[in-house]
Amino acid sequence: MLEPATKFILDLLLQNEEVKKFPQDFVTASMQWVRSWFLTDDDPQTTAVLNAPQASPEEKQEAVRKKTEALLVNPQFRQELEEKLRTYNDIRVENSQNVLIGNTIHAQNVYVGHNPASSTAPAQNLTDLERQATEQRLRLLIQKRLAVQKARDLETDASVLFKYDQQLADLSADIADQKKQLGV
């Protein structure tokens, strides 16, 4: 947990390109949270390094890593950090395309995007607007399937797992239908 936490906090402090794509309310709330734990009067050394414009990113990373490591023994900090990291990862996935989480793929040839040679059925004659709507529906179905899979992975009740499995099967069928309509 130390490495993802360090990256998350450092990304916020350095305001890198990835963080600039996040919703502003998330960035603002996260920065307030970081300030409440990392930029405090009881640790002037860390505060000085993190506020110093001349400090290198490596120096800041080491200061964040040391402070995070010390804070991880605090249950309240650990719980808040886990929530922040979960939200951070969810936002990163939403802003990404072609993301598979928790899956291992064994393949000889991998095509990112459309591979015309592998189309099993020709795309129906869709207008541009219909194609955009179908592509958007496909993206939403994939996002929903990822969310359901994530919830299923955390579930322990057998009856709920069965319901998740049914929902995942239905979503997979819907995704296959959308791909068939698009000819991919």
Side-chain angles (χ1 to χ4, degrees), residues 158-173:
S159 64
V160 177
L161 284 171
F162 179 74
K163 290 178 185 177
Y164 278 135
D165 287 339
Q166 287 180 319
Q167 190 174 9
L168 287 169
D170 292 343
L171 286 167
S172 293

Side-chain angles (χ1 to χ4, degrees), residues 21-84:
K21 298 175 187 174
F22 287 9
Q24 190 58 44
D25 58 335
F26 171 77
V27 174
T28 301
S30 296
M31 277 306 299
Q32 289 171 347
W33 178 81
V34 167
R35 284 187 190 106
S36 73
W37 286 102
F38 288 81
L39 304 175
T40 59
D41 293 336
D42 65 332
D43 187 2
Q45 184 178 2
T46 301
T47 303
V49 171
L50 296 179
N51 283 331
Q54 72 275 12
S56 72
E58 292 80 18
E59 291 172 312
K60 291 183 179 191
Q61 179 178 3
E62 185 59 23
V64 167
R65 192 192 64 71
K66 284 181 181 178
K67 181 73 174 191
T68 304
E69 194 170 27
L71 287 170
L72 281 172
V73 297
N74 181 325
Q76 180 183 354
F77 173 79
R78 190 177 195 86
Q79 179 183 7
E80 291 175 10
L81 176 62
E82 287 171 355
E83 290 173 19
K84 293 288 181 191

Side-chain angles (χ1 to χ4, degrees), residues 61-109:
Q61 179 178 3
E62 185 59 23
V64 167
R65 192 192 64 71
K66 284 181 181 178
K67 181 73 174 191
T68 304
E69 194 170 27
L71 287 170
L72 281 172
V73 297
N74 181 325
Q76 180 183 354
F77 173 79
R78 190 177 195 86
Q79 179 183 7
E80 291 175 10
L81 176 62
E82 287 171 355
E83 290 173 19
K84 293 288 181 191
L85 287 174
R86 194 170 17 260
T87 304
Y88 176 70
N89 289 328
D90 288 346
I91 292 172
R92 283 190 11 222
V93 169
E94 285 176 12
N95 289 339
S96 302
Q97 293 181 3
N98 299 326
V99 176
L100 295 173
I101 298 174
N103 294 301
T104 302
I105 299 174
H106 301 281
Q108 291 181 348
N109 297 318

Side-chain angles (χ1 to χ4, degrees), residues 116-184:
S118 69
S119 293
T120 56
Q124 298 174 358
N125 293 331
L126 299 175
T127 67
D128 287 340
L129 189 56
E130 289 171 329
R131 177 169 283 286
Q132 287 174 354
T134 304
E135 288 171 350
Q136 179 64 24
R137 177 165 166 70
L138 177 60
R139 280 191 292 274
L140 292 172
L141 285 168
I142 292 170
Q143 285 179 349
K144 184 175 181 180
R145 190 183 191 298
L146 287 171
V148 171
Q149 182 67 51
K150 192 174 185 179
R152 188 213 179 278
D153 291 345
L154 298 172
E155 187 58 55
T156 57
D157 185 320
S159 64
V160 177
L161 284 171
F162 179 74
K163 290 178 185 177
Y164 278 135
D165 287 339
Q166 287 180 319
Q167 190 174 9
L168 287 169
D170 292 343
L171 286 167
S172 293
D174 288 346
I175 289 169
D177 288 342
Q178 295 300 306
K179 285 182 175 182
K180 186 176 179 182
Q181 282 184 3
L182 292 169
V184 292

